[in-house]
Amino acid sequence: MNKRHTPAIRLIIIGDEILSGRRQDKHFSHMVSLLKARGLKLNGAQIISDEPDHIEQTLRASFATEDIVFSCGGIGATPDDQTRQAAARALGVGLALHPEAEALITERTLEMEQARQNPAPVDMSTPENQQRLQMGVFPIGAEIVPNPYNKIPGFFIRNHTFMPGFPVMAWPMMEWILDNKFSDLHHRQSLTEYSFLAFSLPESRITPALEHLERQWPTVKAFSLPSVGEEGRRPHIELGVKGEPQACVHALAYLKEQVVAAGGQLGVLG
């Protein structure tokens, strides 16, 4: 197995419709689920506008990292779709119609005409079809990312995957990239997570134990999620550990002991 280190994995969601609330993002939770199934985790996510300079600045900073990045939205061919152009500027390269993308878009156009029972050959030189081909204009050096929904591909360059905003298209692309480009990173490290509820305990009283826990078990990260008592529950803290499995078992036992010693009451999630 290739022993390269596991880069940070991030998600960029592009779209004024998300920021304005006209649409709700669905990519974040699905990305987390896809990564978890492969023994990976999401290290960061951001939602940005359709404004071209904003996209370019965001991507310029992102391309300067070694991170694995998934970008959703803005790769269509309407005026508000500016991601392809911004990516090219951020990379300092030109744009060109990708030959594989051209073939796939032509094939898709033919299928649509056949569905309309139009027997005439497809003329890709018409203004309408030339506009369709714009969706295959990618930064020079990009590879296509297959789209099983309608064949209109996304693109991959410098560890960055660019996909449409539609989940039905983007999610299979995410899986394809994870399984075809980064399969050597799957399940590289066995990790686990445990948590429980603690009642009648201020967070400040258990914090020293959390700090000691991470010093005692360096492969374990402790977490504390306080609640003021939503949904009819008493105020409580969700305490937990995540990391190397065997160390987590010992760290969890220690943490429960410390909660009881500090006067708290143990509870279970559910």
Side-chain angles (χ1 to χ4, degrees), residues 17-200:
E17 68 277 9
I18 303 296
L19 292 171
S20 69
R22 291 197 307 275
R23 290 188 179 176
Q24 299 298 311
D25 168 65
K26 298 179 181 178
H27 297 304
F28 179 89
S29 59
H30 192 75
M31 184 88 255
V32 169
S33 178
L34 290 178
L35 292 172
K36 187 174 182 180
R38 291 159 175 80
L40 299 167
K41 66 177 182 178
L42 188 65
N43 298 94
Q46 60 190 127
I47 301 173
I48 64 173
S49 74
D50 291 326
E51 205 278 318
D53 288 343
H54 190 191
I55 301 172
E56 180 183 347
Q57 291 166 6
T58 300
L59 293 178
R60 190 181 301 277
S62 189
F63 282 127
T65 72
E66 296 181 355
D67 297 353
I68 296 169
V69 178
F70 293 84
S71 173
C72 300
I75 66 168
T78 57
D80 59 337
D81 292 314
Q82 292 290 321
T83 303
R84 295 177 291 109
Q85 302 89 323
R89 292 194 301 272
L91 289 165
V93 301
L95 287 161
L97 178 59
H98 194 289
E100 292 179 71
E102 180 181 16
L104 287 164
I105 294 169
T106 301
E107 185 178 335
R108 173 60 178 169
T109 303
L110 175 61
E111 291 175 350
M112 291 190 296
E113 291 301 319
Q114 290 174 339
R116 298 188 187 106
Q117 298 184 334
N118 182 359
V122 171
D123 181 1
M124 295 305 292
S125 68
T126 66
E128 181 179 356
N129 287 336
Q130 284 291 300
Q131 190 65 28
R132 288 192 173 108
L133 287 174
Q134 288 299 307
M135 292 187 289
V137 173
F138 300 146
I140 293 172
E143 305 171 45
I144 68 162
V145 180
N147 176 356
Y149 181 77
N150 66 1
K151 297 186 178 178
I152 311 299
F155 65 97
F156 175 85
I157 189 167
R158 300 261 194 99
N159 276 4
H160 285 56
T161 303
F162 293 88
M163 304 160 289
F166 300 105
V168 71
M169 302 178 196
W171 294 357
M173 291 181 176
M174 291 175 180
E175 291 198 62
W176 190 91
I177 286 292
L178 288 170
D179 294 340
N180 287 273
K181 292 289 187 182
F182 302 111
S183 61
D184 62 309
L185 301 179
H186 295 188
H187 303 290
R188 174 172 290 183
Q189 185 178 8
S190 178
L191 300 174
T192 193
E193 179 176 321
Y194 301 107
S195 64
F196 62 94
L197 301 184
F199 296 95
S200 304

